[in-house]
Amino acid sequence: MRLIDKYFPLISVTSENREALFNIDRLRFFSLALAQFILILFIVTRYNFEKSSGIIDYAPYVILVFAIYSFIAIRFRPAFLFLACVALVYAAFGILAGSFFILIGLGLILICHLPIKYTYRFVLILAIAFLLALFRTEFIYIPWMTMTAMYMAPLFMFRLIIYLYEIKNGVVPANKWQSISYFFMFPNVFFLFFPIIDYKTYIKTHLDSPEKEIWQKGIRWMLRGLIHIMCYRLICFHFLIGPVEVIDLPTMLQYMVVNYSLIIRLSGVFHFMIGLVCMFGFNLPQIFDNYFTATSFVDLWRRINIYWRNFVLKIFFYPTMFRYKKILKKNLLAFTMMTVFFITWIMHSYQLFWITGVVSVRSIDVIFWMVIGACITTNSVIVEKYTLAEDRVEKPQSEFKKYFMKIIRMMGMFLFMSIMWSLWNTRTLEDWLFIVSKGKQVDSKQLLLIFSVVIGIIGLGILVQMMLKNVKLKQLINRKPHETILLTLSTLTLLTLFSFKEIRSNIPLSVQHLYDQISDGSANKLEKTNAEAGYYDKLIEGEEGNTIGIGGRSLKKMVKKNPYTNAYIYQNNIVNRRMKPNLNIVGSDHNFQSNSFGIRDKEYSIKKPLGTKRLALLGGSYQMGSGVNNNEVFEAIAEERMNKELVDTNYKAFEIFNFAAGGYYLLQHVEIVHTSVFQYDMDALVYFAHTDERGKVVKDFTTIIKKELPLKYPFLQQIVKESGIKSYMSILQIRELLTPYADTIMKWGYKEIYEQCKKNNVVPVWAYMETTTEFVDDAEYNELKAYAESLGFVTLDLRNTYGNIDRVEIQISDLNTHPNVLGHRLIAERFYKELKLKRDSIFRIVE
Amino acid sequence: MRADINEIKETVKAFVNKRFLKNAEGKELNYSTPLISGGIIDSILAMQLVVFLEQTYRFEFQAHEVDKDNLDNIDIIAGFVVKKLNA
């Protein structure tokens, strides 16, 4: 026995046919697969696909695992895959959390096989799940355990259900390593939101076809996934509109159709994941089947997320039907289907909970699932009756009529799903009804346009169906992945070349821009700013405080609780929340202290020391320094520098009081100016404005109205009266009614701040600062600046503060885009320069 | 109840032809034609086949047995029926 066989059985191929593993033919196909796989991961990196997944960071590791895996003995492969996953977990989470992750996981699998009654095993697992849920909701907070629950639960949430079901029904696991590798599925660590892979399918499809075919299938699906994601980005870039932009029937239709089209991102990500699993020899079946071309509800149910449907059928549909069969004489199918759709809704909430930690029970979800369920049920009952009819005869139809009817049905289904999808992904039912109400506004030109588009689609649909009748074309489309290697390879090469600026510069500018559009990872920014992210967006990319893969830069921040959770006292006035005084919160990556005045700043005396100049700073979370330590906030840095470099006989010291807090906008500042600022004997006050100042005023006022906070200012009461807004209206409707008053409200706010400053002999300063996610609107800046100056504000220009630095470099994380330490340093530098430049106007004017 | 496997195959074939392939063009059914993986039978139609087999051969299906492993083609179905009858 060779040493390698004796001591390293995992990589030994003694028991395998060594010649089979290393024969020239296999090596040739492996090299081809490897080359394509490298290109795929290179494209993922070059086009910034799903950064949070971490697949970009670990791409070389994935390739290495694939290469080794492909040449070790088949019987050792499941164990190797598990070890590859373990190494990844340790690399990402560290020893403590990583060990807990692995041990809890192994423990759960072990419980499934304990020699005790099935019911006891089930109860034990439920108890552990309950415990993990307490961590997931942060009800119990032990940092590394919370993080473990967050990342481990998605791996087990469905697979445990399937596994227990199989064990209950007598399916004996093939071997322990296969079971372990099923739970610790290697690619799942990258994508926590993962397709539900069936246990039996996972086991049975392993190397059930020649490896070269499975590899090529994996490559094709990963490429298809990338193309879907590119399409998603293009749709976002060119067609996506927010709910506030819906003004008439065409925009309403655009909003709905585009909303549904964005499901292409889900199919893209899922194709990529399944393709990745295929690379390890699992010949998994198709997950989506041209769902946009569904011609009926049942057809859609068959085509969309096939893995989910199979899971529901296996675990819920058949068991429910067999149970009902014993008690129901009639309408068995209808009752079963409706029960199953009710469970489907629950399972979607269950999934959302384990991935994001959010317990969501929305009326919209109930409506969505019940309407979809009722439609599929009705359709199923019709199908059942039709097949049961003994004397059914289909009327002969002309080919043209068949094509016509098919495209009409497709369009009907697409429109129906677009309507339902827009409902599901809109914040509230009131908002959705408001959007729908816009559909009444349409003129004859728009109707003609819609009619023309419909006719065009019908014509195109008929033409495509006629073309698909061509046998040769059909064969070409249906060619198996290993028969189209050349096409796949050339597509990958083209995409790779296209990602290089030097090569792109030789092609027309319009095509060059395509790269910017498909490589921009923040393509759904508009969607985020205008509407609540849809169900699948929440799962794919997470929300603030969550990260959906080991690549999320928020990962390490999970270790400790958000320091701001208990930092505020809530009040029934416009400000709504005020910072608690004397806070000292220790967070994972930054600390948070407030002084005895209840502001995030160091301690100052109430009475101003002689010769000191005081500046009050009004702002939101940017100015408060969300995500960084107190001494790293730009205000603190600028103050320190001023006290080092700007003091002279006229200015003995400077004190900047930071009144900023998260969620404060203009209206809150008006209230603070009226109630808090001037008791500290200020010399100047700086108000920070951001991009889209009017839009922010409208959003903030809407929140105040929805929360029914009392409006003490007659001006604001008058606006409410004039605009006709009511707190029960939808957010979108309130915003629309307030928008015409945005300018008036903003100007009133500026004037109020100015008047109060004048009354208290304080110099008003207006500063304009760019955020890390928005680009400066120079026209808006000039306009606002001119208005502020006309009132008597001294103005500071903090535009283009970050220079040419990539915005990612100055953001806290991909989910928390507030400035990081570097960002604050840059802002401080600029703020200091501006203050220095205008020092005499700011501090001397009142002397 | 005892039944000949070839007889079962013929009975099931006749049922599938009549119920599921009546108007299907160009679909020729043989004993190895994939029914579930080939898209001829879906979840709803599978239940019709289950009811037919239960009534014809007087045995009871379990929910987990409604599966591609037992119903994917006529050969498999016949083998499953025989196994159930002999159980």
Side-chain angles (χ1 to χ4, degrees), chain A residues 383-443:
Chain A
V383 171
E384 188 189 36
K385 279 194 176 156
Y386 176 78
T387 49
L388 284 174
E390 295 289 333
D391 53 349
R392 69 178 199 268
V393 182
E394 275 189 7
K395 284 180 196 165
Q397 273 183 338
S398 69
E399 290 289 295
F400 182 80
K401 197 176 173 187
K402 270 187 198 167
Y403 297 152
F404 178 76
M405 289 313 293
K406 194 171 177 184
I407 188 72
I408 291 290
R409 282 201 297 267
M410 271 185 210
M411 287 170 69
M413 274 312 300
F414 191 88
L415 187 64
F416 173 81
M417 282 310 292
S418 299
I419 293 169
M420 292 309 295
W421 215 256
S422 68
L423 168 71
W424 200 27
N425 289 323
T426 304
R427 202 190 318 252
T428 62
L429 185 61
E430 290 79 22
D431 276 358
W432 185 75
L433 290 171
F434 181 69
I435 290 168
V436 172
S437 73
K438 295 288 173 187
K440 286 184 286 191
Q441 287 165 30
V442 61
D443 59 33

Side-chain angles (χ1 to χ4, degrees), chain A residues 288-314:
Chain A
F288 287 95
D289 180 17
N290 299 315
Y291 45 91
F292 286 151
T293 64
T295 53
S296 68
F297 296 105
V298 171
D299 193 27
L300 182 80
W301 173 239
R302 277 187 204 127
R303 291 168 181 269
I304 204 164
N305 201 350
I306 297 167
Y307 287 21
W308 178 280
R309 188 195 67 140
N310 289 344
F311 165 75
V312 167
L313 281 177
K314 180 177 199 159

